[in-house]
Amino acid sequence: MKSQKKLSKKSTSFQICHSITEVEKRKYDSIQPDNNPFFEFDFLFALEKSGCVGPGTGWEPCHLLLREGKKLVGAVTFYLKTDSYGEYIFDWQWARAYQDAGLRYYPKAVAGVPFTPTTGPRIIVRKDYDYETCARALIKKLVEVCSLKSLSSIHFLFVTEEEQELLSDCGFLSRLTHQYHWHNSGYLCFDDFLGDLRSGRRKQIKKEKRRLGDLGVEISVLEKEQIRREHIDSIWEFYMNTNSRKWGSAYLNREFFDSVFETYREKTVLVIAQIDGHPVGGTINFRKGDKLYGRYWGCNIEIPYLHFECCYYRPIEFAIDNGINVFEAGAQGEHKFLRGFEAVPVYSSHLFFNPGAQRSIDNFLREERPYMRSLISEYNRHSPLKRARGGKPEKIV
């Protein structure tokens, strides 16, 4: 095993870029993790180019870079936020408490992927450099920058357990929430997975799949060069239909989906449902390494069980066929839990520059954590899976 390099203080420098286009794509992607696609250049570029982030969106991008000489060693992508939309680790209660106390909560800094509740490294360091030394340098600089900008707070969302431990050591408060993830237990086919479920739930899933067959629904799973422009047209239509029915505003626009088609097809997986050759629903997913991430779902016809087939069963089958170990299907999750997804801990870290707020929110989080640990364990004790790993006490910090 090669020894990891230490930073040379004499040649170390930091840079803040307000667009990913200010960073060389090859260098930036070379330091990215093996199984998380959402901080790659092309994904961030799609968000910026389309105007989904930037002026007037509530998400102003800032890319904090650590260099040794001309070499890019590490990065933290964060956003100046003027609201709390699109984050999925909810802090509205904290914002109201600030307002009630006559304090300003916004702007704040958020290190996370806009509109994307997926766990992954937020402090990126080259693999041949000592991680802790570089990460601590980035954290220290980020705190300095945000303090000078008079921000209220810094929030690292959906961090890894290891990152949370390091951030805690640097003065950040630790928060525990949960999601539902599917784990591949060495299945050879979808029937192997069904065999891992208790009989009642197994029968229900088979019934749902038969019902779709009776209705003449055909499902296609497409990736890479199989994806054509008309497939993106359909996904966009489904996405907008779903948002209009929820009476909400769509975070993403058509240009984002077009940019994904142009630059990000290699990591894109679509599930498209058709009846008589006409698209009726589907979902867009992203994959990298041993992980698959379910993202945006929609349909233009209400069909019983179609959501479960497109968002859960077909991606699970795809994961099994392609040796993918973990499938994260997004936020929320009662439906996921009932269909073989395990409750797993989700970590975030928070720093408040106001000492009184830091103390008060620390007390709140200390009371919240035992409840959340108990909730995760309780879910998995009642899992339809014959064995659920996500809620074992030793896996919940």
Side-chain angles (χ1 to χ4, degrees):
M1 183 177 179
K2 292 182 179 180
S3 60
Q4 294 184 311
K5 299 177 183 178
K6 299 287 186 179
L7 279 175
S8 169
K9 293 183 179 180
K10 291 183 179 180
S11 57
T12 296
S13 63
F14 294 93
Q15 179 185 6
I16 294 278
C17 298
H18 294 284
S19 170
I20 195 63
T21 59
E22 299 174 39
V23 189
E24 187 179 337
K25 171 180 160 61
R26 180 184 58 81
K27 290 183 178 179
Y28 187 80
D29 283 345
S30 71
I31 69 171
Q32 296 304 307
D34 294 332
N35 60 6
N36 191 292
F38 298 111
F39 275 138
E40 287 194 10
F41 184 98
D42 286 335
F43 192 85
L44 296 178
F45 177 69
L47 288 171
E48 292 186 15
K49 179 186 177 184
S50 62
C52 293
V53 302
T57 67
W59 293 84
E60 181 182 332
C62 299
H63 306 281
L64 173 62
L65 308 179
L66 169 63
R67 298 185 188 276
E68 187 180 64
K70 295 183 178 180
K71 184 185 297 182
L72 181 61
V73 174
V76 173
T77 288
F78 69 101
Y79 294 83
L80 303 183
K81 292 286 275 101
T82 55
D83 56 43
S84 293
Y85 290 105
E87 296 175 18
Y88 299 96
I89 299 292
F90 301 110
D91 64 350
W92 297 105
Q93 186 177 355
W94 301 344
R96 285 193 297 271
Y98 261 70
Q99 185 178 23
D100 292 344
L103 301 172
R104 181 172 53 86
Y105 192 67
Y106 305 107
K108 62 179 183 176
V110 169
V113 186
F115 330 119
T116 309
T118 59
T119 292
R122 302 299 182 241
I123 307 166
I124 310 300
V125 174
R126 275 181 63 113
K127 293 179 182 178
D128 55 341
Y129 273 72
D130 180 73
Y131 176 81
E132 184 170 340
T133 302
C134 297
R136 285 182 180 275
L138 283 162
I139 294 167
K140 181 179 179 181
K141 188 64 177 182
L142 177 63
V143 172
E144 177 187 317
V145 167
C146 292
S147 177
L148 289 173
K149 289 180 177 291
S150 298
L151 305 185
S152 73
S153 48
I154 306 172
H155 307 263
F156 279 82
L157 308 184
F158 298 95
V159 296
T160 66
E161 183 180 347
E162 294 74 21
E163 282 178 315
Q164 188 183 69
E165 291 174 356
L166 178 60
L167 286 161
S168 177
D169 195 48
C170 293
F172 282 70
L173 307 179
S174 298
R175 190 173 196 182
L176 176 67
T177 52
H178 75 286
Q179 282 184 341
Y180 302 90
H181 298 172
W182 177 85
H183 293 94
N184 189 342
S185 295
Y187 305 123
L188 299 178
C189 61
F190 191 77
D191 281 342
D192 281 355
F193 163 64
L194 290 181
D196 232 4
L197 297 173
R198 303 186 191 279
S199 61
R201 183 48 54 186
R202 182 167 61 248
K203 291 176 182 177
Q204 177 63 28
I205 292 175
K206 289 182 176 180
K207 175 185 173 182
E208 293 171 3
K209 293 174 76 67
R210 281 196 304 270
R211 177 62 172 155
L212 287 174
D214 294 342
L215 293 172
V217 177
E218 298 180 350
I219 308 290
S220 299
V221 180
L222 308 168
E223 61 172 330
K224 300 179 181 179
E225 68 278 355
Q226 296 172 327
I227 299 172
R228 301 191 300 272
R229 176 70 66 179
E230 58 264 32
H231 298 133
I232 298 298
D233 292 342
S234 296
I235 290 292
W236 166 247
E237 180 185 346
F238 302 150
Y239 174 74
M240 290 305 295
N241 284 344
T242 295
N243 278 280
S244 64
R245 282 199 299 273
K246 290 181 179 178
W247 299 283
S249 57
Y251 289 128
L252 303 172
N253 57 28
R254 178 56 198 260
E255 189 174 353
F256 170 81
F257 286 88
D258 288 340
S259 186
V260 165
F261 173 76
E262 292 165 3
T263 65
Y264 218 60
R265 268 194 297 176
E266 285 299 304
K267 293 182 175 66
T268 302
V269 180
L270 303 185
V271 179
I272 304 286
Q274 295 183 320
I275 295 180
D276 296 329
H278 300 290
V280 294
T283 183
I284 185 169
N285 310 267
F286 300 99
R287 66 172 297 188
K288 186 177 182 183
D290 65 350
K291 285 193 174 183
L292 178 68
Y293 302 87
R295 295 307 308 121
Y296 313 111
W297 142 264
C299 62
N300 53 26
I301 301 176
E302 291 290 345
I303 299 174
Y305 311 128
L306 183 62
H307 173 263
F308 305 144
E309 182 72 23
C310 290
C311 294
Y312 309 148
Y313 306 149
R314 288 306 172 102
I316 286 174
E317 187 172 357
F318 176 86
I320 292 170
D321 291 344
N322 289 272
I324 291 170
N325 291 326
V326 179
F327 171 38
E328 295 188 24
Q332 303 172 343
E334 290 293 334
H335 292 311
K336 301 184 187 77
F337 173 74
L338 293 173
R339 287 159 177 82
F341 289 70
E342 301 174 37
V344 299
V346 168
Y347 306 105
S348 59
S349 298
H350 311 267
L351 179 71
F352 300 86
F353 289 107
N354 181 283
Q358 181 84 348
R359 286 192 300 271
S360 296
I361 294 173
D362 185 23
N363 291 334
F364 168 80
L365 293 177
R366 288 178 185 275
E367 294 178 1
E368 184 184 52
R369 279 194 292 274
Y371 165 75
M372 195 59 63
R373 292 189 193 101
S374 175
L375 182 67
I376 295 170
S377 295
E378 190 67 17
Y379 264 118
N380 287 320
R381 274 197 291 270
H382 294 87
S383 172
L385 284 165
K386 294 173 184 175
R387 55 182 184 277
R389 303 168 303 174
K392 286 186 178 180
E394 64 270 19
K395 288 186 174 288
I396 307 172
V397 299

